[in-house]
Amino acid sequence: MLLCGPSGSGKSLVAARSGLPVLRLDDFYKDGDDPTLPLVAGSSDIDWDHPDSWDADAALTAITDLCRTGRTDVPVYDIALSARTGHDAVDIGRTPVFIAEGIFAAEIVERCRRLGVLADALCLSRGPVKTFRRRFLRDLKEGRKSVPFLLRRGWRLMRTERSIVARQTALGAYACDRDEAMGRLASAAAGDHTPTARTAV
């Protein structure tokens, strides 16, 4: 299944608790010196929440590789450095279902569906204030960016969270809270679906 939602909505935690193999789609961010990176309107800040900051084609290739062969090579991305620092192998073995999670997962829902590898697409939603608090504390603890940048980004995302969720659901993801997401993932893990091929969740 594809698992999306605003930054800080709890995607990584839900994915980890599901017991399913996980492909981290945030590792497909572009490097910070990429000239195609978008900027926040009226600012010199890179807009890391815009889909153009992410390599959708590379992410889709990794997903289809996992569906076809059970393994793929993925970049290792350091958010604090805004750079890829290496590569790593992901091997899901013969597991028929896995999670591909990241804030841009909804961008490839339709492409995954056309390729026949989509089991489901979920969009986590916690509410703007809860998401802001969780995102800021996480990013501060991990030293992802400077504090002024995190505050600017956090305020902007809190004000636009409802539109982010609306966009992701319009792209084909089902909006739900953590408990409902865990239930749907548990059903997938138990085989309560009929995949025609190795399936990305």
Side-chain angles (χ1 to χ4, degrees):
M1 297 172 73
L2 292 171
L3 181 61
C4 61
S7 175
S9 58
K11 298 179 295 298
S12 297
L13 182 60
V14 166
R17 287 180 175 176
S18 72
L20 293 168
V22 178
L23 175 67
R24 285 175 32 90
L25 296 180
D26 287 354
D27 283 328
F28 295 91
Y29 268 116
K30 297 176 182 177
D31 286 338
D33 59 357
D34 190 311
T36 67
L37 284 170
L39 299 179
V40 175
S43 168
S44 61
D45 287 345
I46 294 173
D47 190 351
W48 295 108
D49 299 287
H50 191 287
D52 287 348
S53 67
W54 184 67
D55 191 341
D57 291 339
L60 188 62
T61 295
I63 288 172
T64 54
D65 283 349
L66 285 175
C67 292
R68 185 172 59 249
T69 70
R71 59 174 292 110
T72 191
D73 288 324
V74 299
V76 176
Y77 195 90
D78 188 316
I79 292 178
L81 297 176
S82 301
R84 301 179 186 194
T85 58
H87 287 81
D88 200 5
V90 174
D91 190 335
I92 65 170
R94 298 180 60 84
T95 303
V97 177
F98 68 94
I99 297 172
E101 66 92 1
I103 63 173
F104 300 124
E107 301 297 321
I108 55 174
V109 167
E110 184 55 35
R111 294 173 71 181
C112 286
R113 182 176 288 117
R114 289 199 304 267
L115 290 168
V117 298
L118 181 68
D120 201 357
L122 306 179
C123 173
L124 285 184
S125 178
R126 298 165 58 94
V129 175
K130 288 182 179 180
T131 304
F132 171 87
R133 182 166 56 247
R134 184 182 186 280
R135 177 177 53 243
F136 180 73
L137 292 175
R138 177 203 66 191
D139 292 352
L140 189 64
K141 178 181 178 181
E142 296 179 5
R144 292 189 170 194
K145 303 290 180 187
S146 69
V147 172
F149 179 92
L150 294 178
L151 288 171
R152 291 194 301 272
R153 177 181 183 243
W155 175 247
R156 184 176 71 254
L157 290 178
M158 185 172 69
R159 289 185 291 124
T160 59
E161 177 158 331
R162 289 185 175 86
S163 64
I164 292 171
V165 172
R167 171 181 169 79
Q168 294 184 351
T169 55
L171 288 170
Y174 172 75
C176 57
D177 62 17
R178 180 184 62 188
D179 291 341
E180 187 174 4
M182 290 298 298
R184 290 173 76 111
L185 292 171
S187 294
D192 292 347
H193 64 297
T194 309
T196 57
R198 193 182 298 267
T199 308
V201 178

